[in-house]
Amino acid sequence: QVQLVESGGGLVQAGGSLRLSCAASARTFSNFVMGWFRQVPGKERDFVAAIRWSGGSTYYADSVKGRFTISRENARNTMYLQMNSLKPEDTAVYYCAARYGNLLSTSRPHYDYWGQGTQVTVSS
């Protein structure tokens, strides 16, 4: 069983930065892909970024490319999302997710484990 706990959300002005964390519990993540998704009320949960735990390969949604950076820290079993140059349209609940395998999937159904979400609000 994999448990994921997000933290680091909050209120920030446009142009500012936030760093989200996802603390993960499992025996090993060597065969996992971890991802970040976000959702606003009434809309689908959208892909933001993914990272292959072993090797660190990454993939980003076009909307965040160049502004967000996904990373992981093996020793702490923690994944991060550094968000810079934030825009009001980045406002959403951000979810951490994990899937077994090597595919850097952008599809929500491919992920088996989810955190509870953390709110990010960007004011204009």
Side-chain angles (χ1 to χ4, degrees):
Q1 185 70 18
V2 175
Q3 291 184 323
L4 306 172
V5 179
E6 302 98 333
S7 61
L11 173 65
V12 64
Q13 288 188 329
S17 299
L18 278 176
R19 188 177 80 158
L20 305 183
S21 299
C22 174
S25 65
R27 284 187 304 168
T28 175
F29 283 98
S30 60
N31 292 316
F32 275 81
V33 165
M34 307 283 290
W36 289 98
F37 287 73
R38 63 188 182 186
Q39 188 171 22
V40 298
K43 293 193 175 182
E44 296 288 321
R45 190 171 297 185
D46 293 331
F47 170 78
V48 174
I51 186 167
R52 188 175 289 128
W53 197 270
S54 178
S57 299
T58 60
Y59 189 78
Y60 296 91
D62 288 342
S63 59
V64 306
K65 202 173 294 182
R67 300 188 298 123
F68 290 10
T69 302
I70 189 172
S71 62
R72 87 271 189 256
E73 186 175 357
N74 290 337
R76 294 177 180 263
N77 268 10
T78 300
M79 176 178 66
Y80 303 98
L81 185 68
Q82 177 67 43
M83 305 185 293
N84 298 330
S85 302
L86 282 161
K87 305 174 182 180
E89 51 264 43
D90 294 318
T91 296
V93 176
Y94 282 71
Y95 294 91
C96 169
R99 67 178 304 273
Y100 185 80
N102 287 322
L103 177 64
L104 286 169
S105 175
T106 64
S107 176
R108 182 175 57 85
H110 286 173
Y111 288 79
D112 304 304
Y113 305 98
W114 293 87
Q116 81 288 353
T118 185
Q119 177 71 47
V120 171
T121 303
V122 184
S123 63
S124 57

